[in-house]
Amino acid sequence: FCKRYLVYSVENDPIWIGKYHSNYIYAPLKEHKPIRRFDRSNWWYDPEILKAQLPPKYDFFLIDGPVTPHRGGIVKYWPLFNWDCVVAIDDIHRPIERKIAHSLSARIKRPYTIHNSWSKPFGIFNK
């Protein structure tokens, strides 16, 4: 992705910062109230850091973190992101990621499709 797009990576683990050719945003996980229907998702990236550091526009958005079961925070904090782009959600074969995809689809009013790669399925919300 870094060869074709301007990439911003949100990381909660400092070990990943600078590992690839990306623009990194270090956002430690922060506890928040549990999300209805995502009761184990009560930790997510610090939203204040994301508000301050996320660019307003980008061409591609990959949802691949933080580690499950905490990925559900995207459902609560979805307004922080630009959805006017292609969006991919990794690990769509897992029940929590499938639930996230359904919830985001309703919020952004776009369907998603499931694609099978050589290793595991992922979801795509086309622009």
Side-chain angles (χ1 to χ4, degrees), residues 1 4 6 25 27-28 30 32 42 45 47 84 125:
F1 293 119
R4 298 197 60 173
L6 176 61
I25 299 172
K30 184 176 181 180
H32 58 84
N42 64 328
Y45 303 116
D84 187 28
F125 295 84

Side-chain angles (χ1 to χ4, degrees), residues 50-120:
L50 295 180
K51 282 181 197 174
Q53 296 187 33
L54 277 172
K57 300 272 297 171
Y58 28 86
D59 300 318
F60 183 80
F61 178 17
L62 171 63
I63 301 168
D64 190 27
V67 67
T68 300
H70 304 300
R71 204 171 284 179
I74 189 79
V75 173
K76 180 175 185 173
Y77 296 105
W78 71 275
L80 295 176
F81 295 91
N82 166 36
W83 296 94
D84 187 28
C85 61
V86 175
V87 179
I89 182 167
D90 199 18
D91 305 313
I92 198 84
H93 61 286
R94 297 179 189 158
I96 190 75
E97 277 76 5
R98 186 73 58 97
K99 194 187 263 191
I100 291 166
H102 286 310
S103 185
L104 290 174
S105 180
R107 283 170 167 74
I108 67 172
K109 297 178 179 26
R110 283 175 33 204
Y112 68 95
T113 54
I114 297 174
H115 302 268
N116 290 305
S117 70
W118 58 273
S119 63
K120 57 187 175 181

Side-chain angles (χ1 to χ4, degrees), residues 8-23:
Y8 287 83
S9 299
V10 178
E11 299 290 350
N12 63 287
D13 187 343
I15 198 164
W16 292 101
I17 304 295
K19 194 162 180 104
Y20 300 101
H21 299 289
S22 180
N23 298 288

